[in-house]
């Protein structure tokens, strides 16, 4: 009952407040160029399409796998909550949290190894 209350009545105001207060609006607006937006859309779309196809191939629900992968691009754990609550898939929260953390750790590790070997 508490989980249901928190996920319906508290989540949206909390996400809005955190997003508004922690966003550096001037820097964010400067970063949005046509090339940046196209790159973002292409990256997220490719990730979600790949997850959809792989999910179908290995026998998982393809829409759910695409949604979980899509949470990676949505502000980490806060993005997980926002995306999963918007799609009414809060049952996927444990998987999204694990995928976000493992995916982030792998990305940072690969980037550090590449940086060490290239420079």
């Amino acid at each position: 009952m508490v989980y249901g209350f928190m996920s319906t009545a508290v989540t949206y105001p909390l996400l809005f407040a955190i997003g508004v207060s922690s966003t550096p609006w001037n820097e964010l607006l400067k970063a949005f160029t046509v090339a940046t937006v196209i790159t973002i859309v292409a990256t997220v779309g490719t990730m979600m399409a790949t997850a959809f196809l792989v999910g179908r191939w290995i026998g998982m629900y393809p829409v759910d796998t695409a949604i979980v992968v899509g949470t990676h691009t949505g502000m980490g754990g806060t993005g997980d909550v926002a995306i999963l609550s918007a799609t009414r898939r809060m049952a996927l929260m444990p998987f999204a949290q694990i995928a976000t953390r493992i995916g982030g750790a792998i990305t940072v590790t690969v980037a550090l190894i590449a940086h060490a070997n290239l420079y």
Side-chain angles (χ1 to χ4, degrees), residues 31-49:
F32 276 107
T33 63
V34 175
T36 304
V37 172
I38 290 171
T39 302
I40 291 168
V41 170
T43 302
V44 174
T46 302
M47 287 173 51
M48 291 180 74

PDB file of all heavy atoms in Angstrom, residues 31-49:
ATOM      1  N   ALA A  31      23.570  23.792 -25.010  1.00  0.00           N
ATOM      2  CA  ALA A  31      23.998  22.489 -25.528  1.00  0.00           C
ATOM      3  C   ALA A  31      23.075  21.950 -26.608  1.00  0.00           C
ATOM      4  O   ALA A  31      23.473  21.082 -27.381  1.00  0.00           O
ATOM      5  CB  ALA A  31      24.095  21.488 -24.390  1.00  0.00           C
ATOM      6  N   PHE A  32      21.837  22.435 -26.665  1.00  0.00           N
ATOM      7  CA  PHE A  32      20.884  21.907 -27.640  1.00  0.00           C
ATOM      8  C   PHE A  32      21.070  22.560 -28.999  1.00  0.00           C
ATOM      9  O   PHE A  32      20.631  23.667 -29.250  1.00  0.00           O
ATOM     10  CB  PHE A  32      19.436  22.102 -27.164  1.00  0.00           C
ATOM     11  CG  PHE A  32      18.983  21.027 -26.247  1.00  0.00           C
ATOM     12  CD1 PHE A  32      18.831  21.272 -24.899  1.00  0.00           C
ATOM     13  CD2 PHE A  32      18.727  19.753 -26.717  1.00  0.00           C
ATOM     14  CE1 PHE A  32      18.415  20.280 -24.042  1.00  0.00           C
ATOM     15  CE2 PHE A  32      18.308  18.746 -25.865  1.00  0.00           C
ATOM     16  CZ  PHE A  32      18.156  19.018 -24.522  1.00  0.00           C
ATOM     17  N   THR A  33      21.733  21.821 -29.869  1.00  0.00           N
ATOM     18  CA  THR A  33      21.861  22.213 -31.265  1.00  0.00           C
ATOM     19  C   THR A  33      21.178  21.128 -32.087  1.00  0.00           C
ATOM     20  O   THR A  33      20.830  20.068 -31.564  1.00  0.00           O
ATOM     21  CB  THR A  33      23.342  22.330 -31.673  1.00  0.00           C
ATOM     22  OG1 THR A  33      23.951  21.032 -31.541  1.00  0.00           O
ATOM     23  CG2 THR A  33      24.089  23.339 -30.812  1.00  0.00           C
ATOM     24  N   VAL A  34      20.990  21.373 -33.339  1.00  0.00           N
ATOM     25  CA  VAL A  34      20.346  20.379 -34.191  1.00  0.00           C
ATOM     26  C   VAL A  34      21.158  19.082 -34.216  1.00  0.00           C
ATOM     27  O   VAL A  34      20.596  17.982 -34.104  1.00  0.00           O
ATOM     28  CB  VAL A  34      20.150  20.939 -35.622  1.00  0.00           C
ATOM     29  CG1 VAL A  34      19.607  19.878 -36.548  1.00  0.00           C
ATOM     30  CG2 VAL A  34      19.222  22.137 -35.592  1.00  0.00           C
ATOM     31  N   ALA A  35      22.464  19.202 -34.317  1.00  0.00           N
ATOM     32  CA  ALA A  35      23.321  18.011 -34.350  1.00  0.00           C
ATOM     33  C   ALA A  35      23.228  17.215 -33.048  1.00  0.00           C
ATOM     34  O   ALA A  35      23.181  15.978 -33.069  1.00  0.00           O
ATOM     35  CB  ALA A  35      24.765  18.415 -34.611  1.00  0.00           C
ATOM     36  N   THR A  36      23.181  17.917 -31.919  1.00  0.00           N
ATOM     37  CA  THR A  36      23.081  17.240 -30.630  1.00  0.00           C
ATOM     38  C   THR A  36      21.757  16.493 -30.503  1.00  0.00           C
ATOM     39  O   THR A  36      21.730  15.339 -30.069  1.00  0.00           O
ATOM     40  CB  THR A  36      23.215  18.256 -29.477  1.00  0.00           C
ATOM     41  OG1 THR A  36      24.440  18.961 -29.622  1.00  0.00           O
ATOM     42  CG2 THR A  36      23.180  17.577 -28.131  1.00  0.00           C
ATOM     43  N   VAL A  37      20.675  17.133 -30.885  1.00  0.00           N
ATOM     44  CA  VAL A  37      19.360  16.494 -30.787  1.00  0.00           C
ATOM     45  C   VAL A  37      19.276  15.277 -31.703  1.00  0.00           C
ATOM     46  O   VAL A  37      18.768  14.219 -31.308  1.00  0.00           O
ATOM     47  CB  VAL A  37      18.240  17.512 -31.091  1.00  0.00           C
ATOM     48  CG1 VAL A  37      16.889  16.834 -31.190  1.00  0.00           C
ATOM     49  CG2 VAL A  37      18.206  18.602 -30.030  1.00  0.00           C
ATOM     50  N   ILE A  38      19.800  15.384 -32.912  1.00  0.00           N
ATOM     51  CA  ILE A  38      19.787  14.251 -33.838  1.00  0.00           C
ATOM     52  C   ILE A  38      20.613  13.097 -33.276  1.00  0.00           C
ATOM     53  O   ILE A  38      20.200  11.937 -33.344  1.00  0.00           O
ATOM     54  CB  ILE A  38      20.301  14.680 -35.230  1.00  0.00           C
ATOM     55  CG1 ILE A  38      19.267  15.595 -35.904  1.00  0.00           C
ATOM     56  CG2 ILE A  38      20.608  13.477 -36.104  1.00  0.00           C
ATOM     57  CD1 ILE A  38      19.754  16.246 -37.180  1.00  0.00           C
ATOM     58  N   THR A  39      21.764  13.410 -32.693  1.00  0.00           N
ATOM     59  CA  THR A  39      22.609  12.374 -32.100  1.00  0.00           C
ATOM     60  C   THR A  39      21.896  11.685 -30.938  1.00  0.00           C
ATOM     61  O   THR A  39      21.931  10.450 -30.817  1.00  0.00           O
ATOM     62  CB  THR A  39      23.944  12.978 -31.618  1.00  0.00           C
ATOM     63  OG1 THR A  39      24.594  13.589 -32.731  1.00  0.00           O
ATOM     64  CG2 THR A  39      24.841  11.929 -30.993  1.00  0.00           C
ATOM     65  N   ILE A  40      21.249  12.462 -30.087  1.00  0.00           N
ATOM     66  CA  ILE A  40      20.531  11.891 -28.942  1.00  0.00           C
ATOM     67  C   ILE A  40      19.413  10.969 -29.415  1.00  0.00           C
ATOM     68  O   ILE A  40      19.277   9.835 -28.946  1.00  0.00           O
ATOM     69  CB  ILE A  40      19.978  13.015 -28.040  1.00  0.00           C
ATOM     70  CG1 ILE A  40      21.122  13.745 -27.349  1.00  0.00           C
ATOM     71  CG2 ILE A  40      18.990  12.459 -27.019  1.00  0.00           C
ATOM     72  CD1 ILE A  40      20.710  15.034 -26.669  1.00  0.00           C
ATOM     73  N   VAL A  41      18.602  11.452 -30.337  1.00  0.00           N
ATOM     74  CA  VAL A  41      17.471  10.655 -30.830  1.00  0.00           C
ATOM     75  C   VAL A  41      17.963   9.380 -31.515  1.00  0.00           C
ATOM     76  O   VAL A  41      17.409   8.290 -31.310  1.00  0.00           O
ATOM     77  CB  VAL A  41      16.585  11.495 -31.773  1.00  0.00           C
ATOM     78  CG1 VAL A  41      15.558  10.640 -32.487  1.00  0.00           C
ATOM     79  CG2 VAL A  41      15.895  12.605 -30.995  1.00  0.00           C
ATOM     80  N   ALA A  42      19.012   9.495 -32.315  1.00  0.00           N
ATOM     81  CA  ALA A  42      19.550   8.315 -33.006  1.00  0.00           C
ATOM     82  C   ALA A  42      20.114   7.297 -32.014  1.00  0.00           C
ATOM     83  O   ALA A  42      19.891   6.090 -32.170  1.00  0.00           O
ATOM     84  CB  ALA A  42      20.626   8.736 -34.000  1.00  0.00           C
ATOM     85  N   THR A  43      20.817   7.767 -31.006  1.00  0.00           N
ATOM     86  CA  THR A  43      21.405   6.857 -30.019  1.00  0.00           C
ATOM     87  C   THR A  43      20.331   6.133 -29.220  1.00  0.00           C
ATOM     88  O   THR A  43      20.354   4.902 -29.088  1.00  0.00           O
ATOM     89  CB  THR A  43      22.334   7.633 -29.067  1.00  0.00           C
ATOM     90  OG1 THR A  43      23.346   8.277 -29.836  1.00  0.00           O
ATOM     91  CG2 THR A  43      22.966   6.718 -28.046  1.00  0.00           C
ATOM     92  N   VAL A  44      19.385   6.888 -28.693  1.00  0.00           N
ATOM     93  CA  VAL A  44      18.325   6.270 -27.889  1.00  0.00           C
ATOM     94  C   VAL A  44      17.467   5.343 -28.749  1.00  0.00           C
ATOM     95  O   VAL A  44      17.130   4.228 -28.339  1.00  0.00           O
ATOM     96  CB  VAL A  44      17.463   7.350 -27.201  1.00  0.00           C
ATOM     97  CG1 VAL A  44      16.273   6.733 -26.491  1.00  0.00           C
ATOM     98  CG2 VAL A  44      18.295   8.158 -26.232  1.00  0.00           C
ATOM     99  N   GLY A  45      17.132   5.769 -29.940  1.00  0.00           N
ATOM    100  CA  GLY A  45      16.333   4.934 -30.836  1.00  0.00           C
ATOM    101  C   GLY A  45      17.026   3.638 -31.197  1.00  0.00           C
ATOM    102  O   GLY A  45      16.407   2.566 -31.218  1.00  0.00           O
ATOM    103  N   THR A  46      18.324   3.715 -31.465  1.00  0.00           N
ATOM    104  CA  THR A  46      19.093   2.515 -31.802  1.00  0.00           C
ATOM    105  C   THR A  46      19.169   1.556 -30.621  1.00  0.00           C
ATOM    106  O   THR A  46      19.008   0.339 -30.781  1.00  0.00           O
ATOM    107  CB  THR A  46      20.505   2.902 -32.266  1.00  0.00           C
ATOM    108  OG1 THR A  46      20.397   3.773 -33.391  1.00  0.00           O
ATOM    109  CG2 THR A  46      21.323   1.686 -32.632  1.00  0.00           C
ATOM    110  N   MET A  47      19.413   2.103 -29.434  1.00  0.00           N
ATOM    111  CA  MET A  47      19.480   1.254 -28.241  1.00  0.00           C
ATOM    112  C   MET A  47      18.148   0.544 -27.994  1.00  0.00           C
ATOM    113  O   MET A  47      18.120  -0.659 -27.711  1.00  0.00           O
ATOM    114  CB  MET A  47      19.843   2.093 -27.005  1.00  0.00           C
ATOM    115  CG  MET A  47      21.278   2.545 -26.953  1.00  0.00           C
ATOM    116  SD  MET A  47      21.625   3.683 -25.598  1.00  0.00           S
ATOM    117  CE  MET A  47      20.961   2.848 -24.187  1.00  0.00           C
ATOM    118  N   MET A  48      17.060   1.275 -28.103  1.00  0.00           N
ATOM    119  CA  MET A  48      15.754   0.682 -27.831  1.00  0.00           C
ATOM    120  C   MET A  48      15.359  -0.323 -28.911  1.00  0.00           C
ATOM    121  O   MET A  48      14.786  -1.374 -28.608  1.00  0.00           O
ATOM    122  CB  MET A  48      14.703   1.774 -27.672  1.00  0.00           C
ATOM    123  CG  MET A  48      14.908   2.589 -26.400  1.00  0.00           C
ATOM    124  SD  MET A  48      13.697   3.882 -26.176  1.00  0.00           S
ATOM    125  CE  MET A  48      12.278   2.905 -25.700  1.00  0.00           C
ATOM    126  N   ALA A  49      15.669  -0.027 -30.162  1.00  0.00           N
ATOM    127  CA  ALA A  49      15.355  -0.965 -31.245  1.00  0.00           C
ATOM    128  C   ALA A  49      16.165  -2.256 -31.093  1.00  0.00           C
ATOM    129  O   ALA A  49      15.641  -3.359 -31.291  1.00  0.00           O
ATOM    130  CB  ALA A  49      15.631  -0.316 -32.599  1.00  0.00           C
TER     131      ALA A  49
END
